[in-house]
Amino acid sequence: MKKKPFNVVYEDNHLLIVNKAAGVLVQGDKTGDKTLTDYCKEYIANKYNKPGAVFLHPIHRLDRPVSGLVAFARTSKGLERMMELFRKRDIHKVYWAIVKKRPREEQGKLTHWLTKDEQRNVVTAHDREVPGSQKAELNYKTLGKMNDHWLIEVRPISGRPHQIRVQLASMGCPIRGDLKYGFAKANPDASINLHAFNLVFVHPIKKEKLYLRAALPENEFWEQFYEFEELKAKDQHLDNSYSG
């Protein structure tokens, strides 16, 4: 059975927030493959019987091999206000990553300056500022171990392309399946084990706080880590502390 490209996590007149399957592009690239934006526009058009073009804009991106939460705006007002939340860093994001090598410190903060090679679509992390670099920061905590792999919770402070992938690799912990940043072996489905697990923010129009969670992907490897999801479900401090 073909895997669904997304599941709806939250929906109202202004926002559509979905759990993206790994392998689905958020926005078009040179491959010309169908995108998450295309799939979601179809969903809106069919559900609400909308003739003509559907207004739907991604507010941020996830890399193609990454799974988890992606937020779309359904109105220009929703788009403008959500972009402002991202700009002010008033949206709290939590990711889960699986790595083979245990981090030296159980938890910590990583700060790098990133440069991107647009031709190769590869980001390099530098320990100090270099010309053309952007500062990238994240906090991480090791949550546990399953079958020789470690589950790390990551809370990015900035939102740079490939940030989590290259920063974890820079501390010697490339994400499982991520050949681009130093993992030894690809995953069978070409995914990497990085999942955008939570988004926490105040709805920019309704002014109510949203705690959104994307279920882990349904595959054998992620299934080993399902028990940690229960721990996460009890976490009421997503905007300022770690699970557990």
Side-chain angles (χ1 to χ4, degrees):
M1 192 180 88
K2 196 167 185 303
K3 182 169 68 171
K4 282 172 69 176
F6 72 94
N7 289 301
V8 175
V9 175
Y10 178 87
E11 181 180 356
D12 65 15
N13 293 338
H14 297 282
L15 302 176
L16 175 69
I17 298 170
V18 303
N19 183 359
K20 177 184 95 68
V24 180
L25 277 169
V26 173
Q27 286 179 298
D29 68 1
K30 58 180 184 251
T31 63
D33 291 347
K34 191 169 180 178
T35 67
L36 182 66
T37 307
D38 297 330
Y39 285 117
C40 289
K41 281 184 175 180
E42 281 177 10
Y43 163 80
I44 295 285
N46 293 335
K47 180 170 180 179
Y48 299 103
N49 201 16
K50 277 184 176 284
V54 170
F55 183 97
L56 192 73
H57 280 272
I59 298 155
H60 60 120
R61 295 186 186 197
L62 282 188
D63 295 342
R64 186 169 194 162
V66 178
S67 57
L69 291 168
V70 179
F72 289 89
R74 292 188 57 199
T75 61
S76 54
K77 183 179 180 182
L79 178 64
E80 191 182 324
R81 293 194 182 180
M82 286 295 285
M83 295 293 275
E84 186 63 15
L85 287 184
F86 270 90
R87 216 172 11 251
K88 289 179 170 173
R89 297 183 180 171
D90 285 337
I91 289 193
H92 301 279
K93 293 177 280 185
V94 179
Y95 289 76
W96 277 9
I98 296 173
V99 300
K100 180 78 175 166
K101 188 180 171 194
R102 180 180 188 170
R104 202 163 54 224
E105 308 287 339
E106 186 183 326
Q107 68 182 75
K109 181 179 182 180
L110 301 180
T111 303
H112 293 94
W113 282 263
L114 307 185
T115 54
K116 187 173 185 182
D117 180 333
E118 296 291 349
Q119 295 295 111
R120 292 166 52 234
N121 192 29
V122 173
V123 173
T124 303
H126 308 269
D127 289 334
R128 54 186 63 84
E129 192 171 3
V130 300
S133 62
Q134 290 185 304
K135 190 177 184 182
E137 297 176 293
L138 63 77
N139 292 308
Y140 74 89
K141 181 182 178 184
T142 308
L143 294 184
K145 183 186 182 189
M146 281 280 177
N147 293 336
D148 293 333
H149 287 81
W150 297 86
L151 178 63
I152 299 178
E153 183 165 296
V154 179
R155 301 190 176 215
I157 299 165
S158 48
R160 310 296 185 199
H162 296 198
Q163 174 182 340
I164 297 171
R165 298 167 66 180
V166 70
Q167 286 200 274
L168 292 188
S170 293
M171 72 169 183
C173 301
I175 294 166
R176 181 178 179 266
D178 198 356
L179 296 180
K180 184 172 276 194
Y181 293 105
F183 199 80
K185 188 178 163 194
N187 288 343
D189 63 357
S191 70
I192 65 173
N193 289 100
L194 178 62
H195 182 68
F197 199 67
N198 289 102
L199 281 176
V200 182
F201 61 95
V202 175
H203 193 295
I205 289 112
K206 295 180 175 177
K207 303 302 180 191
E208 60 191 31
K209 194 160 197 179
L210 298 178
Y211 290 86
L212 303 174
R213 186 164 76 103
L216 291 175
E218 292 177 6
N219 71 37
E220 285 179 9
F221 199 86
W222 273 113
E223 279 168 8
Q224 305 171 87
F225 295 88
Y226 282 2
E227 66 180 66
F228 290 97
E229 273 193 296
E230 292 173 27
L231 174 85
K232 192 68 183 176
K234 300 185 182 79
D235 184 358
Q236 294 305 306
H237 309 285
L238 292 172
D239 46 356
N240 56 23
S241 69
Y242 290 101
S243 299

